[in-house]
Amino acid sequence: MVDAQTGEDLHIRLEETQALDRDCTTLSRHVLQQLQFSPDAQDISALMNRIGLAGKLIARRLTRAGLVENALGFTGTVNVQGESVKKMDIYANDVFISVFKQSGLVCRLASEEMEKPYYIPENCPIGRYTLLYDPLDGSSNLDTNLNVGSIFSVRQQEGDDEDGSAQDLLQSGRKQIAAGYILYGPSTMLVYSIGQGVHAFTLDPSLGEFILANENIKIPEHGPVYSLNEGNFWQWDDSMRDYIRYVHRHEGYTARYGGALVGDFHRILYQGGVFLYPGTVKKPEGKLRLLYESAPMAYLVEQAGGRASTGTEEILDVVADKLHQRTPLVIGSKEDVALVESFIKEQKRISNQS
Ligand code: AFP
């Protein structure tokens, strides 16, 4: 269709207008739109903005890490989980702390890299939130320039935690008021939820802004991908081995595993399927941390219409009994999570009979 006066193609003009609208939805504007009538709108928007800033700083460092002396490799120390710490883990951990200093928003940060939560005295007591985070998830991928991510979760600060033991954090994942992750892949993406659906933003490096890419993402009810470390096959119990034999014998399944939860989960969020990190004989609770990894991802997947389970219980119902607690994780499309659970149930039935 052509404009009679200007001779301009109206379809092109319309497409340009729509493209402009889309380009203008930044992360903070999106949060404000979602929380229009809430008294917390400004605070949550500012908080998400700071998380976005942390993501930009970490992404910038990662882009050049191979060229910067001393950016990669190990520090020579081990963290509270007994894992070797990488220099980038420490950098990313400190970035989150520094972006929240003097913000007046977050009183305390708890991360898998720190034994105890970090208090920002100048933000307390006005800071009403606690940030829990995994600063650089999948950091073993760094040596080979593969994807990594940051995972975050926001909870209301409850009480003043005078003894610093963070007992108030030992509650179910349903206490989270926001959660999400930043994926450092070919592009940097931030995916978040504040309890009103799941939304994805892509970092436009020329603008330095996270721009809305996908709104209200819904995970398919079923998908072809199963994602787990099959190298642990003989460490699992029979139920997991039976599940794997089942997917090997049936058409329509395909394996994908990248060794970083954020990337593996991101694929499943868009394409459907299931990610698993089950317990092993030696470590029945598996590898992933409840408060920093499993619970935030569970919050997202439920918001997207999927499920997250330990295999026997919804992840969001699990009450942590310590800050760095681990938990088995089965997360993804509803039908695929239920299929895995059915093998666990069957195994229990057989063991109870014998
Ligand atoms: P790293 O941060 O030590 O690389 O661990 C990543 C992670 O916590 C999670 O992102 C992966 O899904 C999982 O561990 C991979 O563990 P495996 O190497 O045992 O498969």
Side-chain angles (χ1 to χ4, degrees), residues 83 89 112 134 136-141 229 232 257 259-262 264 275 277 287-289 293:
E83 298 158 338
D89 287 322
E112 72 164 62
D134 179 353
L136 210 53
D137 180 72
S139 53
S140 34
N141 276 2
N229 187 343
N232 293 333
Y257 191 69
L261 173 63
V262 171
D264 287 325
F275 172 93
Y277 209 110
K287 180 179 180 190
L288 303 179
R289 270 68 39 146
E293 294 172 296

mmCIF file with all atom_site columns, all heavy atoms in Angstrom, residues 83 89 112 134 136-141 229 232 257 259-262 264 275 277 287-289 293, ligand 1:
data_model
loop_
_atom_site.group_PDB
_atom_site.id
_atom_site.type_symbol
_atom_site.label_atom_id
_atom_site.label_alt_id
_atom_site.label_comp_id
_atom_site.label_asym_id
_atom_site.label_entity_id
_atom_site.label_seq_id
_atom_site.pdbx_PDB_ins_code
_atom_site.Cartn_x
_atom_site.Cartn_y
_atom_site.Cartn_z
_atom_site.occupancy
_atom_site.B_iso_or_equiv
_atom_site.pdbx_formal_charge
_atom_site.auth_seq_id
_atom_site.auth_comp_id
_atom_site.auth_asym_id
_atom_site.auth_atom_id
_atom_site.pdbx_PDB_model_num
ATOM   1   N N   . GLU A 1 83  ? 35.750 -26.502 45.898 1.00 0.00 ? 83  GLU A N   1
ATOM   2   C CA  . GLU A 1 83  ? 36.087 -26.473 44.474 1.00 0.00 ? 83  GLU A CA  1
ATOM   3   C C   . GLU A 1 83  ? 37.189 -25.446 44.218 1.00 0.00 ? 83  GLU A C   1
ATOM   4   O O   . GLU A 1 83  ? 37.229 -24.396 44.876 1.00 0.00 ? 83  GLU A O   1
ATOM   5   C CB  . GLU A 1 83  ? 34.851 -26.083 43.645 1.00 0.00 ? 83  GLU A CB  1
ATOM   6   C CG  . GLU A 1 83  ? 33.713 -27.065 43.777 1.00 0.00 ? 83  GLU A CG  1
ATOM   7   C CD  . GLU A 1 83  ? 32.370 -26.445 43.414 1.00 0.00 ? 83  GLU A CD  1
ATOM   8   O OE1 . GLU A 1 83  ? 32.244 -25.212 43.457 1.00 0.00 ? 83  GLU A OE1 1
ATOM   9   O OE2 . GLU A 1 83  ? 31.452 -27.215 43.115 1.00 0.00 ? 83  GLU A OE2 1
ATOM   10  N N   . ASP A 1 89  ? 35.883 -16.230 38.602 1.00 0.00 ? 89  ASP A N   1
ATOM   11  C CA  . ASP A 1 89  ? 34.841 -16.421 39.633 1.00 0.00 ? 89  ASP A CA  1
ATOM   12  C C   . ASP A 1 89  ? 34.904 -15.264 40.624 1.00 0.00 ? 89  ASP A C   1
ATOM   13  O O   . ASP A 1 89  ? 33.881 -14.703 41.027 1.00 0.00 ? 89  ASP A O   1
ATOM   14  C CB  . ASP A 1 89  ? 35.072 -17.723 40.423 1.00 0.00 ? 89  ASP A CB  1
ATOM   15  C CG  . ASP A 1 89  ? 34.738 -18.983 39.636 1.00 0.00 ? 89  ASP A CG  1
ATOM   16  O OD1 . ASP A 1 89  ? 33.754 -18.963 38.885 1.00 0.00 ? 89  ASP A OD1 1
ATOM   17  O OD2 . ASP A 1 89  ? 35.466 -19.991 39.793 1.00 0.00 ? 89  ASP A OD2 1
ATOM   18  N N   . GLU A 1 112 ? 27.632 -18.400 46.110 1.00 0.00 ? 112 GLU A N   1
ATOM   19  C CA  . GLU A 1 112 ? 28.259 -19.707 46.332 1.00 0.00 ? 112 GLU A CA  1
ATOM   20  C C   . GLU A 1 112 ? 29.762 -19.574 46.506 1.00 0.00 ? 112 GLU A C   1
ATOM   21  O O   . GLU A 1 112 ? 30.424 -20.502 46.940 1.00 0.00 ? 112 GLU A O   1
ATOM   22  C CB  . GLU A 1 112 ? 27.896 -20.685 45.224 1.00 0.00 ? 112 GLU A CB  1
ATOM   23  C CG  . GLU A 1 112 ? 28.550 -20.415 43.903 1.00 0.00 ? 112 GLU A CG  1
ATOM   24  C CD  . GLU A 1 112 ? 28.452 -21.635 42.992 1.00 0.00 ? 112 GLU A CD  1
ATOM   25  O OE1 . GLU A 1 112 ? 27.330 -22.004 42.678 1.00 0.00 ? 112 GLU A OE1 1
ATOM   26  O OE2 . GLU A 1 112 ? 29.505 -22.177 42.622 1.00 0.00 ? 112 GLU A OE2 1
ATOM   27  N N   . ASP A 1 134 ? 24.953 -16.968 41.816 1.00 0.00 ? 134 ASP A N   1
ATOM   28  C CA  . ASP A 1 134 ? 26.109 -17.745 41.383 1.00 0.00 ? 134 ASP A CA  1
ATOM   29  C C   . ASP A 1 134 ? 26.795 -16.848 40.357 1.00 0.00 ? 134 ASP A C   1
ATOM   30  O O   . ASP A 1 134 ? 26.295 -16.679 39.246 1.00 0.00 ? 134 ASP A O   1
ATOM   31  C CB  . ASP A 1 134 ? 25.642 -19.068 40.751 1.00 0.00 ? 134 ASP A CB  1
ATOM   32  C CG  . ASP A 1 134 ? 26.818 -19.904 40.274 1.00 0.00 ? 134 ASP A CG  1
ATOM   33  O OD1 . ASP A 1 134 ? 27.959 -19.405 40.310 1.00 0.00 ? 134 ASP A OD1 1
ATOM   34  O OD2 . ASP A 1 134 ? 26.585 -21.053 39.854 1.00 0.00 ? 134 ASP A OD2 1
ATOM   35  N N   . LEU A 1 136 ? 29.517 -16.875 38.439 1.00 0.00 ? 136 LEU A N   1
ATOM   36  C CA  . LEU A 1 136 ? 29.961 -17.383 37.141 1.00 0.00 ? 136 LEU A CA  1
ATOM   37  C C   . LEU A 1 136 ? 29.761 -18.892 37.095 1.00 0.00 ? 136 LEU A C   1
ATOM   38  O O   . LEU A 1 136 ? 30.633 -19.675 37.468 1.00 0.00 ? 136 LEU A O   1
ATOM   39  C CB  . LEU A 1 136 ? 31.429 -17.013 36.893 1.00 0.00 ? 136 LEU A CB  1
ATOM   40  C CG  . LEU A 1 136 ? 31.789 -16.834 35.425 1.00 0.00 ? 136 LEU A CG  1
ATOM   41  C CD1 . LEU A 1 136 ? 30.854 -15.856 34.721 1.00 0.00 ? 136 LEU A CD1 1
ATOM   42  C CD2 . LEU A 1 136 ? 33.204 -16.359 35.282 1.00 0.00 ? 136 LEU A CD2 1
ATOM   43  N N   . ASP A 1 137 ? 28.579 -19.253 36.632 1.00 0.00 ? 137 ASP A N   1
ATOM   44  C CA  . ASP A 1 137 ? 28.210 -20.655 36.590 1.00 0.00 ? 137 ASP A CA  1
ATOM   45  C C   . ASP A 1 137 ? 28.822 -21.319 35.351 1.00 0.00 ? 137 ASP A C   1
ATOM   46  O O   . ASP A 1 137 ? 28.755 -20.756 34.256 1.00 0.00 ? 137 ASP A O   1
ATOM   47  C CB  . ASP A 1 137 ? 26.685 -20.738 36.535 1.00 0.00 ? 137 ASP A CB  1
ATOM   48  C CG  . ASP A 1 137 ? 26.206 -22.146 36.485 1.00 0.00 ? 137 ASP A CG  1
ATOM   49  O OD1 . ASP A 1 137 ? 26.309 -22.831 37.512 1.00 0.00 ? 137 ASP A OD1 1
ATOM   50  O OD2 . ASP A 1 137 ? 25.741 -22.575 35.411 1.00 0.00 ? 137 ASP A OD2 1
ATOM   51  N N   . GLY A 1 138 ? 29.417 -22.481 35.556 1.00 0.00 ? 138 GLY A N   1
ATOM   52  C CA  . GLY A 1 138 ? 30.021 -23.204 34.422 1.00 0.00 ? 138 GLY A CA  1
ATOM   53  C C   . GLY A 1 138 ? 31.411 -22.705 34.110 1.00 0.00 ? 138 GLY A C   1
ATOM   54  O O   . GLY A 1 138 ? 31.875 -22.806 32.964 1.00 0.00 ? 138 GLY A O   1
ATOM   55  N N   . SER A 1 139 ? 32.110 -22.200 35.142 1.00 0.00 ? 139 SER A N   1
ATOM   56  C CA  . SER A 1 139 ? 33.388 -21.522 34.846 1.00 0.00 ? 139 SER A CA  1
ATOM   57  C C   . SER A 1 139 ? 34.450 -22.473 34.295 1.00 0.00 ? 139 SER A C   1
ATOM   58  O O   . SER A 1 139 ? 35.438 -22.019 33.730 1.00 0.00 ? 139 SER A O   1
ATOM   59  C CB  . SER A 1 139 ? 33.902 -20.739 36.058 1.00 0.00 ? 139 SER A CB  1
ATOM   60  O OG  . SER A 1 139 ? 33.964 -21.552 37.184 1.00 0.00 ? 139 SER A OG  1
ATOM   61  N N   . SER A 1 140 ? 34.236 -23.806 34.399 1.00 0.00 ? 140 SER A N   1
ATOM   62  C CA  . SER A 1 140 ? 35.223 -24.693 33.749 1.00 0.00 ? 140 SER A CA  1
ATOM   63  C C   . SER A 1 140 ? 35.166 -24.559 32.227 1.00 0.00 ? 140 SER A C   1
ATOM   64  O O   . SER A 1 140 ? 36.110 -24.954 31.533 1.00 0.00 ? 140 SER A O   1
ATOM   65  C CB  . SER A 1 140 ? 35.080 -26.144 34.205 1.00 0.00 ? 140 SER A CB  1
ATOM   66  O OG  . SER A 1 140 ? 33.770 -26.466 34.465 1.00 0.00 ? 140 SER A OG  1
ATOM   67  N N   . ASN A 1 141 ? 34.094 -23.967 31.702 1.00 0.00 ? 141 ASN A N   1
ATOM   68  C CA  . ASN A 1 141 ? 34.007 -23.726 30.256 1.00 0.00 ? 141 ASN A CA  1
ATOM   69  C C   . ASN A 1 141 ? 34.920 -22.596 29.782 1.00 0.00 ? 141 ASN A C   1
ATOM   70  O O   . ASN A 1 141 ? 35.145 -22.430 28.588 1.00 0.00 ? 141 ASN A O   1
ATOM   71  C CB  . ASN A 1 141 ? 32.564 -23.355 29.862 1.00 0.00 ? 141 ASN A CB  1
ATOM   72  C CG  . ASN A 1 141 ? 31.696 -24.585 29.639 1.00 0.00 ? 141 ASN A CG  1
ATOM   73  O OD1 . ASN A 1 141 ? 32.161 -25.701 29.821 1.00 0.00 ? 141 ASN A OD1 1
ATOM   74  N ND2 . ASN A 1 141 ? 30.456 -24.377 29.245 1.00 0.00 ? 141 ASN A ND2 1
ATOM   75  N N   . ASN A 1 229 ? 25.021 -35.244 32.296 1.00 0.00 ? 229 ASN A N   1
ATOM   76  C CA  . ASN A 1 229 ? 26.371 -35.771 32.139 1.00 0.00 ? 229 ASN A CA  1
ATOM   77  C C   . ASN A 1 229 ? 26.331 -37.299 32.206 1.00 0.00 ? 229 ASN A C   1
ATOM   78  O O   . ASN A 1 229 ? 26.326 -37.890 33.288 1.00 0.00 ? 229 ASN A O   1
ATOM   79  C CB  . ASN A 1 229 ? 27.278 -35.198 33.232 1.00 0.00 ? 229 ASN A CB  1
ATOM   80  C CG  . ASN A 1 229 ? 28.722 -35.580 33.021 1.00 0.00 ? 229 ASN A CG  1
ATOM   81  O OD1 . ASN A 1 229 ? 29.031 -36.508 32.270 1.00 0.00 ? 229 ASN A OD1 1
ATOM   82  N ND2 . ASN A 1 229 ? 29.620 -34.866 33.681 1.00 0.00 ? 229 ASN A ND2 1
ATOM   83  N N   . ASN A 1 232 ? 28.420 -39.967 34.251 1.00 0.00 ? 232 ASN A N   1
ATOM   84  C CA  . ASN A 1 232 ? 28.120 -40.419 35.620 1.00 0.00 ? 232 ASN A CA  1
ATOM   85  C C   . ASN A 1 232 ? 27.228 -41.669 35.653 1.00 0.00 ? 232 ASN A C   1
ATOM   86  O O   . ASN A 1 232 ? 26.721 -42.036 36.717 1.00 0.00 ? 232 ASN A O   1
ATOM   87  C CB  . ASN A 1 232 ? 27.417 -39.297 36.407 1.00 0.00 ? 232 ASN A CB  1
ATOM   88  C CG  . ASN A 1 232 ? 28.344 -38.118 36.661 1.00 0.00 ? 232 ASN A CG  1
ATOM   89  O OD1 . ASN A 1 232 ? 29.561 -38.286 36.722 1.00 0.00 ? 232 ASN A OD1 1
ATOM   90  N ND2 . ASN A 1 232 ? 27.784 -36.920 36.798 1.00 0.00 ? 232 ASN A ND2 1
ATOM   91  N N   . TYR A 1 257 ? 24.561 -31.425 25.914 1.00 0.00 ? 257 TYR A N   1
ATOM   92  C CA  . TYR A 1 257 ? 25.090 -31.082 27.239 1.00 0.00 ? 257 TYR A CA  1
ATOM   93  C C   . TYR A 1 257 ? 26.310 -30.194 27.074 1.00 0.00 ? 257 TYR A C   1
ATOM   94  O O   . TYR A 1 257 ? 27.279 -30.582 26.412 1.00 0.00 ? 257 TYR A O   1
ATOM   95  C CB  . TYR A 1 257 ? 25.469 -32.357 28.003 1.00 0.00 ? 257 TYR A CB  1
ATOM   96  C CG  . TYR A 1 257 ? 25.778 -32.119 29.462 1.00 0.00 ? 257 TYR A CG  1
ATOM   97  C CD1 . TYR A 1 257 ? 24.775 -31.754 30.354 1.00 0.00 ? 257 TYR A CD1 1
ATOM   98  C CD2 . TYR A 1 257 ? 27.076 -32.258 29.951 1.00 0.00 ? 257 TYR A CD2 1
ATOM   99  C CE1 . TYR A 1 257 ? 25.054 -31.535 31.701 1.00 0.00 ? 257 TYR A CE1 1
ATOM   100 C CE2 . TYR A 1 257 ? 27.365 -32.043 31.292 1.00 0.00 ? 257 TYR A CE2 1
ATOM   101 C CZ  . TYR A 1 257 ? 26.345 -31.684 32.164 1.00 0.00 ? 257 TYR A CZ  1
ATOM   102 O OH  . TYR A 1 257 ? 26.608 -31.469 33.488 1.00 0.00 ? 257 TYR A OH  1
ATOM   103 N N   . GLY A 1 259 ? 27.767 -28.434 29.857 1.00 0.00 ? 259 GLY A N   1
ATOM   104 C CA  . GLY A 1 259 ? 28.566 -28.309 31.079 1.00 0.00 ? 259 GLY A CA  1
ATOM   105 C C   . GLY A 1 259 ? 28.375 -26.999 31.824 1.00 0.00 ? 259 GLY A C   1
ATOM   106 O O   . GLY A 1 259 ? 29.089 -26.729 32.785 1.00 0.00 ? 259 GLY A O   1
ATOM   107 N N   . ALA A 1 260 ? 27.421 -26.182 31.384 1.00 0.00 ? 260 ALA A N   1
ATOM   108 C CA  . ALA A 1 260 ? 27.074 -24.957 32.133 1.00 0.00 ? 260 ALA A CA  1
ATOM   109 C C   . ALA A 1 260 ? 25.549 -24.904 32.212 1.00 0.00 ? 260 ALA A C   1
ATOM   110 O O   . ALA A 1 260 ? 24.866 -24.865 31.176 1.00 0.00 ? 260 ALA A O   1
ATOM   111 C CB  . ALA A 1 260 ? 27.608 -23.715 31.440 1.00 0.00 ? 260 ALA A CB  1
ATOM   112 N N   . LEU A 1 261 ? 25.046 -24.929 33.423 1.00 0.00 ? 261 LEU A N   1
ATOM   113 C CA  . LEU A 1 261 ? 23.592 -25.001 33.628 1.00 0.00 ? 261 LEU A CA  1
ATOM   114 C C   . LEU A 1 261 ? 22.848 -23.904 32.860 1.00 0.00 ? 261 LEU A C   1
ATOM   115 O O   . LEU A 1 261 ? 21.813 -24.161 32.253 1.00 0.00 ? 261 LEU A O   1
ATOM   116 C CB  . LEU A 1 261 ? 23.300 -24.902 35.137 1.00 0.00 ? 261 LEU A CB  1
ATOM   117 C CG  . LEU A 1 261 ? 21.840 -24.788 35.546 1.00 0.00 ? 261 LEU A CG  1
ATOM   118 C CD1 . LEU A 1 261 ? 21.049 -26.020 35.153 1.00 0.00 ? 261 LEU A CD1 1
ATOM   119 C CD2 . LEU A 1 261 ? 21.725 -24.560 37.057 1.00 0.00 ? 261 LEU A CD2 1
ATOM   120 N N   . VAL A 1 262 ? 23.384 -22.679 32.901 1.00 0.00 ? 262 VAL A N   1
ATOM   121 C CA  . VAL A 1 262 ? 22.662 -21.568 32.268 1.00 0.00 ? 262 VAL A CA  1
ATOM   122 C C   . VAL A 1 262 ? 22.418 -21.856 30.784 1.00 0.00 ? 262 VAL A C   1
ATOM   123 O O   . VAL A 1 262 ? 21.298 -21.729 30.290 1.00 0.00 ? 262 VAL A O   1
ATOM   124 C CB  . VAL A 1 262 ? 23.420 -20.234 32.461 1.00 0.00 ? 262 VAL A CB  1
ATOM   125 C CG1 . VAL A 1 262 ? 22.794 -19.128 31.633 1.00 0.00 ? 262 VAL A CG1 1
ATOM   126 C CG2 . VAL A 1 262 ? 23.422 -19.827 33.936 1.00 0.00 ? 262 VAL A CG2 1
ATOM   127 N N   . ASP A 1 264 ? 22.593 -24.785 29.151 1.00 0.00 ? 264 ASP A N   1
ATOM   128 C CA  . ASP A 1 264 ? 21.772 -25.981 28.945 1.00 0.00 ? 264 ASP A CA  1
ATOM   129 C C   . ASP A 1 264 ? 20.305 -25.699 29.257 1.00 0.00 ? 264 ASP A C   1
ATOM   130 O O   . ASP A 1 264 ? 19.402 -26.148 28.556 1.00 0.00 ? 264 ASP A O   1
ATOM   131 C CB  . ASP A 1 264 ? 22.299 -27.134 29.808 1.00 0.00 ? 264 ASP A CB  1
ATOM   132 C CG  . ASP A 1 264 ? 23.601 -27.704 29.257 1.00 0.00 ? 264 ASP A CG  1
ATOM   133 O OD1 . ASP A 1 264 ? 23.760 -27.737 28.024 1.00 0.00 ? 264 ASP A OD1 1
ATOM   134 O OD2 . ASP A 1 264 ? 24.474 -28.095 30.060 1.00 0.00 ? 264 ASP A OD2 1
ATOM   135 N N   . PHE A 1 275 ? 16.542 -31.059 31.650 1.00 0.00 ? 275 PHE A N   1
ATOM   136 C CA  . PHE A 1 275 ? 17.919 -31.030 32.147 1.00 0.00 ? 275 PHE A CA  1
ATOM   137 C C   . PHE A 1 275 ? 17.923 -31.798 33.462 1.00 0.00 ? 275 PHE A C   1
ATOM   138 O O   . PHE A 1 275 ? 17.037 -31.606 34.307 1.00 0.00 ? 275 PHE A O   1
ATOM   139 C CB  . PHE A 1 275 ? 18.378 -29.581 32.386 1.00 0.00 ? 275 PHE A CB  1
ATOM   140 C CG  . PHE A 1 275 ? 19.723 -29.510 33.077 1.00 0.00 ? 275 PHE A CG  1
ATOM   141 C CD1 . PHE A 1 275 ? 20.888 -29.403 32.333 1.00 0.00 ? 275 PHE A CD1 1
ATOM   142 C CD2 . PHE A 1 275 ? 19.828 -29.577 34.465 1.00 0.00 ? 275 PHE A CD2 1
ATOM   143 C CE1 . PHE A 1 275 ? 22.138 -29.372 32.960 1.00 0.00 ? 275 PHE A CE1 1
ATOM   144 C CE2 . PHE A 1 275 ? 21.055 -29.549 35.099 1.00 0.00 ? 275 PHE A CE2 1
ATOM   145 C CZ  . PHE A 1 275 ? 22.217 -29.441 34.338 1.00 0.00 ? 275 PHE A CZ  1
ATOM   146 N N   . TYR A 1 277 ? 20.456 -33.102 36.793 1.00 0.00 ? 277 TYR A N   1
ATOM   147 C CA  . TYR A 1 277 ? 21.695 -33.374 37.534 1.00 0.00 ? 277 TYR A CA  1
ATOM   148 C C   . TYR A 1 277 ? 21.287 -34.184 38.759 1.00 0.00 ? 277 TYR A C   1
ATOM   149 O O   . TYR A 1 277 ? 21.007 -33.644 39.821 1.00 0.00 ? 277 TYR A O   1
ATOM   150 C CB  . TYR A 1 277 ? 22.477 -32.112 37.908 1.00 0.00 ? 277 TYR A CB  1
ATOM   151 C CG  . TYR A 1 277 ? 23.964 -32.475 37.994 1.00 0.00 ? 277 TYR A CG  1
ATOM   152 C CD1 . TYR A 1 277 ? 24.857 -32.022 37.050 1.00 0.00 ? 277 TYR A CD1 1
ATOM   153 C CD2 . TYR A 1 277 ? 24.413 -33.337 38.985 1.00 0.00 ? 277 TYR A CD2 1
ATOM   154 C CE1 . TYR A 1 277 ? 26.192 -32.421 37.085 1.00 0.00 ? 277 TYR A CE1 1
ATOM   155 C CE2 . TYR A 1 277 ? 25.746 -33.740 39.029 1.00 0.00 ? 277 TYR A CE2 1
ATOM   156 C CZ  . TYR A 1 277 ? 26.622 -33.287 38.077 1.00 0.00 ? 277 TYR A CZ  1
ATOM   157 O OH  . TYR A 1 277 ? 27.928 -33.704 38.111 1.00 0.00 ? 277 TYR A OH  1
ATOM   158 N N   . LYS A 1 287 ? 25.121 -32.116 42.570 1.00 0.00 ? 287 LYS A N   1
ATOM   159 C CA  . LYS A 1 287 ? 26.167 -31.095 42.560 1.00 0.00 ? 287 LYS A CA  1
ATOM   160 C C   . LYS A 1 287 ? 25.617 -29.673 42.704 1.00 0.00 ? 287 LYS A C   1
ATOM   161 O O   . LYS A 1 287 ? 26.279 -28.784 43.221 1.00 0.00 ? 287 LYS A O   1
ATOM   162 C CB  . LYS A 1 287 ? 26.938 -31.205 41.237 1.00 0.00 ? 287 LYS A CB  1
ATOM   163 C CG  . LYS A 1 287 ? 28.052 -30.199 41.104 1.00 0.00 ? 287 LYS A CG  1
ATOM   164 C CD  . LYS A 1 287 ? 28.802 -30.350 39.788 1.00 0.00 ? 287 LYS A CD  1
ATOM   165 C CE  . LYS A 1 287 ? 29.921 -29.321 39.702 1.00 0.00 ? 287 LYS A CE  1
ATOM   166 N NZ  . LYS A 1 287 ? 30.526 -29.261 38.364 1.00 0.00 ? 287 LYS A NZ  1
ATOM   167 N N   . LEU A 1 288 ? 24.396 -29.473 42.238 1.00 0.00 ? 288 LEU A N   1
ATOM   168 C CA  . LEU A 1 288 ? 23.918 -28.084 42.110 1.00 0.00 ? 288 LEU A CA  1
ATOM   169 C C   . LEU A 1 288 ? 23.402 -27.521 43.431 1.00 0.00 ? 288 LEU A C   1
ATOM   170 O O   . LEU A 1 288 ? 22.795 -28.232 44.227 1.00 0.00 ? 288 LEU A O   1
ATOM   171 C CB  . LEU A 1 288 ? 22.837 -28.011 41.032 1.00 0.00 ? 288 LEU A CB  1
ATOM   172 C CG  . LEU A 1 288 ? 23.292 -28.527 39.662 1.00 0.00 ? 288 LEU A CG  1
ATOM   173 C CD1 . LEU A 1 288 ? 22.173 -28.444 38.653 1.00 0.00 ? 288 LEU A CD1 1
ATOM   174 C CD2 . LEU A 1 288 ? 24.519 -27.749 39.172 1.00 0.00 ? 288 LEU A CD2 1
ATOM   175 N N   . ARG A 1 289 ? 23.657 -26.247 43.631 1.00 0.00 ? 289 ARG A N   1
ATOM   176 C CA  . ARG A 1 289 ? 23.284 -25.579 44.867 1.00 0.00 ? 289 ARG A CA  1
ATOM   177 C C   . ARG A 1 289 ? 21.825 -25.119 44.824 1.00 0.00 ? 289 ARG A C   1
ATOM   178 O O   . ARG A 1 289 ? 21.403 -24.491 43.836 1.00 0.00 ? 289 ARG A O   1
ATOM   179 C CB  . ARG A 1 289 ? 24.169 -24.351 45.106 1.00 0.00 ? 289 ARG A CB  1
ATOM   180 C CG  . ARG A 1 289 ? 25.424 -24.569 45.890 1.00 0.00 ? 289 ARG A CG  1
ATOM   181 C CD  . ARG A 1 289 ? 26.518 -25.381 45.303 1.00 0.00 ? 289 ARG A CD  1
ATOM   182 N NE  . ARG A 1 289 ? 26.824 -25.268 43.909 1.00 0.00 ? 289 ARG A NE  1
ATOM   183 C CZ  . ARG A 1 289 ? 28.030 -25.381 43.392 1.00 0.00 ? 289 ARG A CZ  1
ATOM   184 N NH1 . ARG A 1 289 ? 29.064 -25.552 44.166 1.00 0.00 ? 289 ARG A NH1 1
ATOM   185 N NH2 . ARG A 1 289 ? 28.217 -25.343 42.095 1.00 0.00 ? 289 ARG A NH2 1
ATOM   186 N N   . GLU A 1 293 ? 21.359 -21.918 42.433 1.00 0.00 ? 293 GLU A N   1
ATOM   187 C CA  . GLU A 1 293 ? 21.184 -22.461 41.079 1.00 0.00 ? 293 GLU A CA  1
ATOM   188 C C   . GLU A 1 293 ? 19.789 -23.055 40.887 1.00 0.00 ? 293 GLU A C   1
ATOM   189 O O   . GLU A 1 293 ? 19.026 -22.596 40.028 1.00 0.00 ? 293 GLU A O   1
ATOM   190 C CB  . GLU A 1 293 ? 22.254 -23.537 40.808 1.00 0.00 ? 293 GLU A CB  1
ATOM   191 C CG  . GLU A 1 293 ? 23.664 -22.969 40.759 1.00 0.00 ? 293 GLU A CG  1
ATOM   192 C CD  . GLU A 1 293 ? 24.740 -24.050 40.695 1.00 0.00 ? 293 GLU A CD  1
ATOM   193 O OE1 . GLU A 1 293 ? 24.858 -24.832 41.665 1.00 0.00 ? 293 GLU A OE1 1
ATOM   194 O OE2 . GLU A 1 293 ? 25.464 -24.105 39.703 1.00 0.00 ? 293 GLU A OE2 1
HETATM 195 P P1  . AFP B 2 .   ? 31.569 -25.272 37.266 1.00 0.00 ? 1   AFP B P1  1
HETATM 196 O O1  . AFP B 2 .   ? 31.135 -23.855 37.572 1.00 0.00 ? 1   AFP B O1  1
HETATM 197 O O2  . AFP B 2 .   ? 32.527 -25.822 38.277 1.00 0.00 ? 1   AFP B O2  1
HETATM 198 O O3  . AFP B 2 .   ? 32.063 -25.408 35.862 1.00 0.00 ? 1   AFP B O3  1
HETATM 199 O O4  . AFP B 2 .   ? 30.263 -26.170 37.440 1.00 0.00 ? 1   AFP B O4  1
HETATM 200 C C1  . AFP B 2 .   ? 29.157 -25.932 36.642 1.00 0.00 ? 1   AFP B C1  1
HETATM 201 C C2  . AFP B 2 .   ? 27.942 -26.588 37.203 1.00 0.00 ? 1   AFP B C2  1
HETATM 202 O O5  . AFP B 2 .   ? 27.689 -26.157 38.525 1.00 0.00 ? 1   AFP B O5  1
HETATM 203 C C3  . AFP B 2 .   ? 26.714 -26.366 36.318 1.00 0.00 ? 1   AFP B C3  1
HETATM 204 O O6  . AFP B 2 .   ? 26.713 -25.152 35.650 1.00 0.00 ? 1   AFP B O6  1
HETATM 205 C C4  . AFP B 2 .   ? 26.735 -27.530 35.358 1.00 0.00 ? 1   AFP B C4  1
HETATM 206 O O7  . AFP B 2 .   ? 25.473 -27.886 34.921 1.00 0.00 ? 1   AFP B O7  1
HETATM 207 C C5  . AFP B 2 .   ? 27.372 -28.624 36.171 1.00 0.00 ? 1   AFP B C5  1
HETATM 208 O O8  . AFP B 2 .   ? 28.127 -27.990 37.208 1.00 0.00 ? 1   AFP B O8  1
HETATM 209 C C6  . AFP B 2 .   ? 28.286 -29.473 35.359 1.00 0.00 ? 1   AFP B C6  1
HETATM 210 O O9  . AFP B 2 .   ? 28.821 -30.469 36.154 1.00 0.00 ? 1   AFP B O9  1
HETATM 211 P P2  . AFP B 2 .   ? 29.634 -31.701 35.538 1.00 0.00 ? 1   AFP B P2  1
HETATM 212 O O10 . AFP B 2 .   ? 30.937 -31.170 35.050 1.00 0.00 ? 1   AFP B O10 1
HETATM 213 O O11 . AFP B 2 .   ? 29.782 -32.668 36.676 1.00 0.00 ? 1   AFP B O11 1
HETATM 214 O O12 . AFP B 2 .   ? 28.811 -32.279 34.418 1.00 0.00 ? 1   AFP B O12 1
#
